[in-house]
Amino acid sequence: MRMDSFNSSGFRPLLLTGFPGLEASHPQISVLFCVLYVIAFVGNSLILVVIWQEQSLHEPMYFFLSMLAASDLGLCATTLPTLLKLFWLNARQIPFDSCLVQMFFIHVFSLMESGILLTMAFDRYIAISSPVHYTTILTNATIVKIGFGLMLRATAVILPGPFLIKRLKFCKANVLSHSYCLHPDIIKLSCSDHRINSIYGLIIILITFGLDSVLILLSYLKILITVLGIASHKEQLKAFNTCVSHICAVLLVYIPMLGVSIIHRFGKHVPPVVHIIMGYIYLLVPPVLNPIVYCIKTCEIRTCIFRMLHPKKF
């Protein structure tokens, strides 16, 4: 599709990409995505319901877990419509402004997820190092403030992105690499100088995801030092076990995110299918696997879910 140069007064639609060369198989491929989305929606919704209904789970650790589940649901809800339109109806076009809105919410929920994982790392450190003062430090009011703070941080940091993109000029190129909109994917289509956008994106990664990951690492170093100071080997294992689920969640979020960022910035000669697959891994792996990991590794959640599903046995 030929697109003449245009500016912010008249952006034309962009084209989403599924699996090039496999368009005839898109309906069949969509079955896999539908299964993954169902798992993500059911798993995260179940965690929210269990934490809401079970009084025994009204603790800081589980409140932060409910925030993580909510952000995963938001991420899925943001991307599902365009993905289904593409794979079911072969509707590739997305209005430029709609693409920017989707991009905004994808990055906001991703950034919130990173902030929640950081908060959960602090939560585990306080629980292990100061168990007596745990509930007095992380009161319900404090948790609410943290939640609003994470939301405000994500919104304030991502909000300039769409406006900076509106300054760019777009010419012939209009095909995105994924079935959803990402900041680096959009700006690379520009035929004008987009160095400011690239610098903005790099700064955002460094001061948010980069800083969050460093602080998470430092938190776990402090946890390790604290746990190793515990005399009993049994208590050490018990303390470490409370962190396993969170460590898995951190890896599930940061490894795909790092992979997508590296490929977008340095993988110009990487086959397009690698971009596409990494994009779907980044999008779907955390929301799908986070609830599975927490249900498997957290005995309290597993017990409460079993009690909800089999009330007659209790």
Side-chain angles (χ1 to χ4, degrees):
M1 177 182 293
R2 176 176 176 80
M3 296 185 68
D4 297 323
S5 175
F6 58 96
N7 55 31
S8 60
S9 62
F11 290 104
R12 295 187 185 180
L14 299 178
L15 294 181
L16 302 169
T17 298
F19 288 92
L22 297 175
E23 286 81 4
S25 301
H26 276 181
Q28 290 77 20
I29 295 174
S30 70
V31 174
L32 171 62
F33 287 115
C34 288
V35 170
L36 294 176
Y37 272 104
V38 168
I39 294 173
F41 277 112
V42 172
N44 288 289
S45 299
L46 189 59
I47 285 180
L48 287 175
V49 171
V50 168
I51 293 175
W52 176 268
Q53 290 190 349
E54 291 293 333
Q55 192 68 31
S56 61
L57 299 182
H58 289 183
E59 297 179 4
M61 171 183 174
Y62 300 108
F63 287 141
F64 291 131
L65 176 57
S66 66
M67 293 182 193
L68 184 65
S71 67
D72 281 339
L73 286 173
L75 190 61
C76 289
T78 301
T79 55
L80 181 61
T82 54
L83 188 142
L84 291 184
K85 282 175 60 180
L86 174 63
F87 283 93
W88 281 0
L89 306 175
N90 196 31
R92 296 185 62 193
Q93 281 197 1
I94 180 171
F96 196 89
D97 287 338
S98 298
C99 191
L100 294 184
V101 171
Q102 185 186 54
M103 178 203 78
F104 172 78
F105 281 107
I106 288 175
H107 290 300
V108 163
F109 284 121
S110 296
L111 184 52
M112 283 187 63
E113 197 165 44
S114 176
I116 293 165
L117 290 173
L118 172 60
T119 307
M120 293 172 78
F122 287 157
D123 165 78
R124 289 299 83 207
Y125 172 66
I126 296 171
I128 292 172
S129 62
S130 303
V132 177
H133 305 289
Y134 178 59
T135 54
T136 57
I137 294 174
L138 292 174
T139 63
N140 289 344
T142 301
I143 294 171
V144 171
K145 291 177 183 177
I146 290 173
F148 276 112
L150 294 175
M151 189 182 301
L152 287 174
R153 182 188 79 150
T155 303
V157 167
I158 302 300
L159 189 59
F163 297 100
L164 289 174
I165 290 177
K166 282 280 194 175
R167 298 171 57 253
L168 301 177
K169 181 182 291 186
F170 293 81
C171 304
K172 296 181 181 180
N174 70 323
V175 180
L176 298 169
S177 303
H178 308 290
S179 59
Y180 53 91
C181 303
L182 294 176
H183 179 266
D185 203 19
I186 298 174
I187 64 173
K188 77 178 182 181
L189 298 178
S190 170
C191 57
S192 59
D193 187 358
H194 57 265
R195 281 179 296 180
I196 293 178
N197 299 73
S198 296
I199 293 172
Y200 160 77
L202 182 60
I203 290 174
I204 294 305
I205 290 175
L206 291 176
I207 67 173
T208 55
F209 298 111
L211 181 60
D212 288 352
S213 60
V214 170
L215 292 176
I216 289 173
L217 180 60
L218 290 176
S219 297
Y220 272 99
L221 287 176
K222 295 286 287 182
I223 289 173
L224 180 62
I225 293 171
T226 302
V227 171
L228 292 178
I230 299 174
S232 169
H233 180 66
K234 184 177 180 180
E235 290 179 352
Q236 289 179 349
L237 290 177
K238 182 179 178 181
F240 276 128
N241 192 52
T242 64
C243 302
V244 171
S245 300
H246 179 257
I247 293 173
C248 291
V250 171
L251 295 176
L252 288 173
V253 169
Y254 277 95
I255 290 178
M257 186 184 299
L258 182 62
V260 168
S261 298
I262 291 174
I263 286 178
H264 268 296
R265 293 183 180 278
F266 307 110
K268 294 182 179 179
H269 303 293
V270 174
V273 68
V274 177
H275 285 267
I276 295 168
I277 293 174
M278 282 301 302
Y280 288 122
I281 291 175
Y282 160 74
L283 173 71
L284 288 173
V285 164
V288 170
L289 294 186
N290 276 341
I292 295 175
V293 167
Y294 274 97
C295 288
I296 292 174
K297 297 300 297 181
T298 308
C299 179
E300 292 82 1
I301 291 181
R302 193 167 62 247
T303 302
C304 291
I305 291 175
F306 187 80
R307 186 185 300 129
M308 286 181 58
L309 297 177
H310 303 89
K312 293 182 180 180
K313 293 185 178 182
F314 291 87

